[in-house]
Amino acid sequence: MVNNLKYIVTLCLFFVFSYSIVTAQDKAKITGKVTDEKGNSLEYVNVGVFDKKTQIGVNTDKNGNYTLTIPANIQLILIVSFTGYEQQKINLILKGGEIKELNIRLKQSTTELPTFVVQDVYLRSSNFKRIDPKNVTQIPSPSGGVEALIKTMPGVSSNNELSSQYNVRGGNYDENLVYVNDIEIFRPMLVRSGQQEGLSFVNSDLVSSILFSAGGFDAKYGDKMSSVLDIKYKKPLSFGGSVAMSLLGVEAHLEGRAINSRFSYLIGVRQKSNQYLLNSLQTKGEYRPSFTDLQTLLTYDFDDKWELSFLGNYARNVYNVVPENRETDFGTVNNALRLKIYFDGQELDDFETRFGALSLNYKPNKRISIKNTVSAFQSYENETFDIQGEYWLSQLEADLGKDNFAQEAYNKGVGRYIDHARNYLNSSIINYEARITASKTNHLIQAGIKYQREEIVDKLSEWKYVDSSDYSLPNPPDSIGSQNPLHYAPELQNIYRAKNNLSSNRISAFIQDSWAIDGDSSRLSLTTGVRISYWDLNKEFLVSPRATISYRPRWKKDIVLRFSTGIYYQSPFYRELRDIEGNLNLGIKSQQSIHFVTGMDWNLKIWNRPFKFVSELYYKYLNNLIPYEIDNVRIRYSAKNEAKGYACGIDFRLNGEFVKGIESWASLSIMQTEEDLTNDSYMLNGVKIEPGYIPRPTDQRVVFSLFFQDYLPKMPNLKMHLNLVFGASLPFGPPNSQRYTQVFRMPPYRRVDIGSSYMLKSKTSKLSSKNIFRKVDTIWLSLEVFNLLQISNTISYLWVKDINNRQYAVPNYLTPRQLNLKLVVEF
């Protein structure tokens, strides 16, 4: 622990105090305000000055104000830029000590792309929502990152604070697309629990833009059925960085420009250990998790037309646990039970991933952009464990009048089980993609083609042994009543063994046109496109048309109406091909989802402050479904197209300044999703029963989330951040049972996380020239309380049996109330 603390302190000091800038003896100052054409203040506008020796930049504050200290008596170029607006360049020379006021008004971009690229206008005509990246550091969450914000969006649900995965409108984790700088991101496939998962790919320190769609997205996005998360990383204007430390780990990043401002770099490193959280779980033991991630984005501008960039990532997530014991109370007030387990053995999992993407972007003129990208992803996944558990199942005394109330009254059963696994999976995915974007009058045309090569090497070896009251289950013949249970050989259960090698090729292409029909995209616009794909493994050729139309009526209220529809195919990946026993179904077909989404976007004023109300009503017809089961975050497919289904619901979101000057939002989703399996009928008393439609594993009827921020009026540097989530019950069932029996409901997911943060130093703090913190922009100290209400949320169940073969579902609870202390330094 001491060595880790020394490492963290040394790393912090290195990043904070190694930065120095050689400045001229005489300085001048530029100050002013940046607004749009309507005079509205613009926050986070990049304002910087550049020449061969100087690169200095700042961002505007929430009121659009900026102050920049620059060298005097030198010819400099002031550059002001912001996404969706035309860049401005101003030549200037200031004398020593001079203070010049420059108020700048930016115009919406009309050259690089048509009016659709004015992001706020374009997004209102699409099904995408913009999320402010600065809230990533504010939201209290054990998992953290961009995904913590995504979980608060309408239509999104997650019942596991230890995982970054999420469900969208009745889909599962595998149905979500993630892009970083237009490059599709993949993740490991063997992860079975949030404890193992570690860090997600997206490094929030490097993010400049977050867009999210819960359905009805455009044809340029790939072949998944549920959602798209579109991330853009920064292209920095000047040197900067940050360091963040907490009880859960440390992360840091550097950014800047060099080589006459033609070369820009982003470098981020993260080290996380959720040992602190895991030690609070029911299963006590020695947890040794270690999650490491190194990521970089390097960009070089040859000239105004050619740009080369490289996005690279190396991640290693190691999870090692030696369990010791567990005690869980469950049941009802009148039938309270206690399970005690004593463990032997250990689990060691290692997930190593490598990713690299090289992109060459060519802009022959202001209206055309051509991008070529080559990328490669490799993963090496090892999951090994041998864990023996000896358990005692006891009945608790329920009589309040007895001295041993809530204590063990008598024993209901004693048993033993052994879980064994030696699972190894290596995957290699190589892509080449070419995209072109062209604008003409009121049209924005985008097209692309992509080739993907996949190679999978998989070795599966799992089994389970259960012994209850000295009898092996399932009972061997003639074992019941035997005087010597050793007369028979133990019988293993859930034996899964397989070795698979798979290579395949995919090709896909798309074309789409965004048309401002009346010349004003904020009034009437239409986006149509088609996507085609072919996979040589199952010889399947798919055509996926999609369309979105939006209309802004000439009403006094600022309302945009939208309707989207399209066919969304999800071509099987390796996990969908493999059944529970490890067998591959190479003839499996793509799952299909037909979306119908109608929505409303309303900009309004409440308390004379800006708000946005968004509502979407949707229906998804699902066909060729591959049924699956979920255990924690592990998805196990049947590897057969044997179901049809639907998902329907309505989403609401209200966001704005509930407290003046700071954004908060509330989301409500009401949804139902069911499926009908073929050939699942059964006989009961001589009568054939057809189960019909049954809830899908993600059938969560109601989800409500609230992200609320506040501050003290007389102490604006002291802020409060609250993250509240309620998710209705999810269906579950016994292991190895028929799908129609898996309709029990686990308790609702209820959680409140709260944090308080105080700005110890701001950009405007006045410090002496000798103060070591003068180069630091901001310092934040935060105290977070996870699971404030101390609610025991259930993520899954451990099933135990007695000699009568009766099963008991013992809940696996998530983390209890925990404290976290966090320090964030930006420079």
Side-chain angles (χ1 to χ4, degrees):
M1 183 66 182
V2 174
N3 290 333
N4 290 337
L5 183 60
K6 290 180 179 179
Y7 166 75
I8 292 172
V9 173
T10 303
L11 183 64
C12 178
L13 292 174
F14 171 76
F15 276 99
V16 175
F17 303 123
S18 63
Y19 169 51
S20 61
I21 301 176
V22 178
T23 59
Q25 293 182 352
D26 293 332
K27 296 182 179 180
K29 185 176 291 187
I30 310 172
T31 184
K33 184 174 184 178
V34 181
T35 61
D36 61 14
E37 293 174 289
K38 297 180 180 180
N40 298 315
S41 301
L42 295 177
E43 186 180 6
Y44 287 102
V45 177
N46 299 309
V47 182
V49 293
F50 303 91
D51 69 354
K52 294 182 178 181
K53 297 182 179 180
T54 305
Q55 297 94 36
I56 304 172
V58 296
N59 293 326
T60 58
D61 61 20
K62 64 181 180 181
N63 297 316
N65 298 319
Y66 72 94
T67 300
L68 191 62
T69 301
I70 64 173
N73 305 312
I74 298 177
Q75 176 73 42
L76 297 172
I77 301 175
L78 179 72
I79 298 179
V80 184
S81 63
F82 191 52
T83 303
Y85 292 83
E86 293 182 356
Q87 186 183 84
Q88 286 197 23
K89 295 182 179 181
I90 303 172
N91 295 313
L92 50 84
I93 301 178
L94 300 185
K95 299 177 181 179
E98 182 179 355
I99 300 177
K100 185 176 182 63
E101 182 177 353
L102 278 177
N103 296 318
I104 299 166
R105 179 168 293 186
L106 295 180
K107 296 181 179 180
Q108 292 182 341
S109 173
T110 57
T111 55
E112 193 168 314
L113 294 174
T115 51
F116 281 87
V117 176
V118 181
Q119 293 297 329
D120 290 338
V121 176
Y122 169 60
L123 290 177
R124 297 191 71 194
S125 63
S126 73
N127 288 311
F128 278 89
K129 302 173 183 66
R130 178 180 295 282
I131 303 172
D132 193 341
K134 71 178 182 180
N135 288 321
V136 173
T137 59
Q138 307 296 339
I139 186 169
S141 169
S143 59
V146 170
E147 292 82 1
L149 288 177
I150 299 300
K151 293 177 182 180
T152 66
M153 293 294 105
V156 181
S157 64
S158 174
N159 281 33
N160 191 345
E161 66 270 9
L162 295 175
S163 172
S164 61
Q165 304 303 320
Y166 50 88
N167 305 315
V168 179
R169 290 180 177 172
N172 66 38
Y173 310 136
D174 291 336
E175 298 177 16
N176 303 317
L177 284 164
V178 178
Y179 287 88
V180 174
N181 287 10
D182 300 323
I183 303 164
E184 186 176 354
I185 303 302
F186 301 91
R187 63 186 182 93
M189 289 181 277
L190 288 185
V191 175
R192 68 172 67 202
S193 70
Q195 293 94 309
Q196 302 172 337
E197 189 174 301
L199 294 161
S200 71
F201 181 92
V202 180
N203 187 332
S204 57
D205 290 334
L206 313 184
V207 172
S208 66
S209 170
I210 305 172
L211 299 178
F212 178 74
S213 173
F217 43 87
D218 297 340
K220 68 177 182 179
Y221 295 105
D223 301 307
K224 293 290 181 75
M225 296 196 298
S226 289
S227 74
V228 172
L229 176 60
D230 191 349
I231 301 289
K232 292 291 188 298
Y233 276 180
K234 301 175 186 176
K235 189 175 180 182
L237 293 174
S238 60
F239 180 82
S242 68
V243 177
M245 297 178 294
S246 75
L247 298 179
L248 302 179
V250 60
E251 57 187 65
H253 96 281
L254 286 174
E255 61 182 71
R257 301 184 75 91
I259 314 177
N260 296 329
S261 296
R262 291 192 178 277
F263 176 72
S264 67
Y265 59 88
L266 273 176
I267 303 173
V269 60
R270 295 179 290 174
Q271 172 64 38
K272 179 181 178 181
S273 173
N274 56 5
Q275 182 181 21
Y276 171 63
L277 293 174
L278 300 181
N279 285 334
S280 68
L281 296 176
Q282 300 160 281
T283 300
K284 305 303 178 183
E286 186 177 355
Y287 291 92
R288 294 190 294 268
S290 177
F291 311 129
T292 306
D293 172 272
L294 175 64
Q295 202 162 146
T296 184
L297 175 63
L298 308 175
T299 305
Y300 185 79
D301 296 325
F302 294 96
D303 52 35
D304 293 338
K305 295 183 178 181
W306 291 93
E307 177 187 271
L308 182 68
S309 66
F310 171 77
L311 176 63
N313 172 259
Y314 171 80
R316 187 180 183 191
N317 297 330
V318 178
Y319 177 74
N320 181 211
V321 60
V322 181
E324 296 175 357
N325 60 79
R326 165 180 173 171
E327 181 175 307
T328 304
D329 293 343
F330 65 102
T332 63
V333 174
N334 296 323
N335 185 27
L337 302 171
R338 174 173 293 165
L339 177 72
K340 287 184 178 179
I341 308 178
Y342 296 93
F343 296 101
D344 188 20
Q346 70 169 334
E347 177 178 354
L348 178 60
D349 307 318
D350 191 344
F351 305 98
E352 182 179 357
T353 60
R354 303 168 185 173
F355 173 82
L358 190 66
S359 298
L360 181 63
N361 197 5
Y362 173 55
K363 296 181 180 179
N365 55 55
K366 294 181 178 180
R367 292 184 174 272
I368 297 177
S369 175
I370 302 172
K371 187 175 185 178
N372 290 271
T373 302
V374 178
S375 64
F377 170 83
Q378 285 185 318
S379 72
Y380 304 92
E381 306 175 38
N382 304 324
E383 183 186 46
T384 61
F385 54 80
D386 285 291
I387 296 179
Q388 174 181 272
E390 295 185 357
Y391 65 85
W392 282 258
L393 184 63
S394 303
Q395 184 79 45
L396 300 184
E397 180 57 61
D399 189 346
L400 287 170
K402 293 188 176 181
D403 294 337
N404 64 338
F405 171 72
Q407 301 299 315
E408 296 177 13
Y410 59 90
N411 185 270
K412 291 179 68 70
V414 177
R416 178 167 60 100
Y417 68 87
I418 301 175
D419 283 330
H420 165 90
R422 295 292 186 273
N423 299 329
Y424 307 96
L425 189 147
N426 297 336
S427 62
S428 177
I429 304 171
I430 299 174
N431 286 287
Y432 167 73
E433 184 174 17
R435 290 193 178 200
I436 182 170
T437 302
S439 61
K440 183 179 180 182
T441 58
N442 297 324
H443 291 268
L444 173 63
I445 300 172
Q446 300 176 74
I449 187 169
K450 178 180 178 181
Y451 167 77
Q452 180 168 300
R453 170 75 176 178
E454 302 163 5
E455 295 184 357
I456 308 290
V457 178
D458 180 25
K459 181 180 179 181
L460 172 67
S461 178
E462 285 186 35
W463 53 261
K464 185 182 184 75
Y465 170 73
V466 177
D467 181 1
S468 179
S469 300
D470 290 331
Y471 293 98
S472 176
L473 294 175
N475 306 124
D478 300 326
S479 66
I480 301 296
S482 171
Q483 296 299 316
N484 186 358
L486 300 179
H487 286 167
Y488 64 87
E491 187 171 333
L492 303 181
Q493 303 178 44
N494 302 343
I495 303 174
Y496 308 137
R497 290 194 175 99
K499 291 183 180 180
N500 299 315
N501 294 300
L502 185 68
S503 298
S504 63
N505 303 279
R506 303 176 193 259
I507 189 168
S508 60
F510 76 89
I511 184 170
Q512 73 176 46
D513 176 29
S514 299
W515 177 24
I517 296 176
D518 62 351
D520 179 1
S521 64
S522 65
R523 188 66 62 190
L524 180 63
S525 64
L526 175 67
T527 298
T528 56
V530 63
R531 186 174 189 88
I532 60 174
S533 61
Y534 176 77
W535 191 23
D536 66 355
L537 189 68
N538 62 2
K539 313 299 181 184
E540 190 175 34
F541 180 81
L542 303 172
V543 180
S544 174
R546 305 173 190 178
T548 298
I549 186 169
S550 70
Y551 175 64
R552 182 183 177 189
R554 299 182 183 276
W555 298 342
K556 292 182 178 180
K557 296 180 179 179
D558 185 4
I559 294 178
V560 173
L561 305 176
R562 295 188 304 266
F563 176 75
S564 299
T565 188
I567 302 175
Y568 296 81
Y569 289 100
Q570 180 155 330
S571 186
F573 203 62
Y574 181 73
R575 291 218 297 186
E576 290 97 320
L577 294 176
R578 195 184 80 174
D579 66 12
I580 293 177
E581 297 180 354
N583 304 310
L584 298 184
N585 179 7
L586 302 183
I588 198 168
K589 300 301 181 181
S590 297
Q591 300 179 90
Q592 183 192 66
S593 177
I594 302 178
H595 291 199
F596 302 93
V597 184
T598 181
M600 177 190 72
D601 184 307
W602 179 16
N603 288 338
L604 68 156
K605 292 278 188 177
I606 302 178
W607 307 309
N608 202 30
R609 296 197 289 267
F611 279 80
K612 179 186 286 287
F613 177 74
V614 178
S615 175
E616 289 187 339
L617 178 69
Y618 62 89
Y619 178 85
K620 298 193 293 186
Y621 172 74
L622 310 173
N623 195 24
N624 274 348
L625 291 178
I626 306 172
Y628 59 88
E629 298 175 4
I630 298 179
D631 181 14
N632 204 305
V633 298
R634 185 191 196 191
I635 301 176
R636 301 194 301 177
Y637 291 91
S638 70
K640 298 177 182 178
N641 298 109
E642 55 180 352
K644 62 181 180 179
Y646 69 90
C648 62
I650 188 168
D651 296 334
F652 305 96
R653 181 175 185 248
L654 178 66
N655 70 293
E657 296 183 10
F658 289 87
V659 176
K660 188 174 182 180
I662 191 168
E663 183 185 21
S664 302
W665 61 80
S667 301
L668 174 65
S669 299
I670 301 172
M671 184 272 299
Q672 181 175 8
T673 180
E674 293 183 320
E675 63 186 7
D676 183 11
L677 278 71
T678 58
N679 301 320
D680 66 341
S681 60
Y682 60 95
M683 302 298 295
L684 181 64
N685 298 326
V687 179
K688 184 178 181 180
I689 305 297
E690 292 284 353
Y693 281 91
I694 59 175
R696 304 192 76 200
T698 54
D699 181 44
Q700 196 165 30
R701 301 294 172 87
V702 178
V703 176
F704 175 79
S705 61
L706 172 68
F707 177 53
F708 181 76
Q709 301 186 87
D710 198 358
Y711 61 88
L712 294 178
K714 295 184 178 181
M715 296 180 63
N717 288 343
L718 180 59
K719 297 183 178 181
M720 183 278 292
H721 320 279
L722 183 142
N723 182 24
L724 181 151
V725 177
F726 170 83
S729 302
L730 283 168
F732 76 99
N736 305 315
S737 60
Q738 296 294 326
R739 272 285 295 119
Y740 60 79
T741 66
Q742 299 173 10
V743 292
F744 302 106
R745 293 277 176 170
M746 65 177 61
Y749 182 83
R750 297 152 295 168
R751 187 177 178 91
V752 177
D753 299 324
I754 192 170
S756 295
S757 58
Y758 184 74
M759 184 185 290
L760 300 175
K761 182 190 179 301
S762 66
K763 293 181 180 180
T764 59
S765 299
K766 296 181 179 180
L767 300 176
S768 66
S769 59
K770 296 181 179 180
N771 193 305
I772 59 175
F773 292 104
R774 68 187 185 280
K775 302 297 184 183
V776 175
D777 290 338
T778 60
I779 302 177
W780 286 92
L781 182 64
S782 302
L783 177 64
E784 299 174 326
V785 183
F786 300 143
N787 198 357
L788 176 68
L789 303 182
Q790 185 74 334
I791 296 173
S792 298
N793 288 305
T794 302
I795 182 60
S796 61
Y797 289 89
L798 173 67
W799 295 84
V800 297
K801 295 182 179 181
D802 59 19
I803 188 59
N804 298 316
N805 211 26
R806 180 181 177 182
Q807 293 192 103
Y808 296 86
V810 185
N812 295 315
Y813 294 123
L814 287 164
T815 56
R817 184 189 298 122
Q818 294 286 94
L819 296 178
N820 184 40
L821 189 64
K822 182 167 62 175
L823 178 68
V824 180
V825 180
E826 298 177 338
F827 54 93

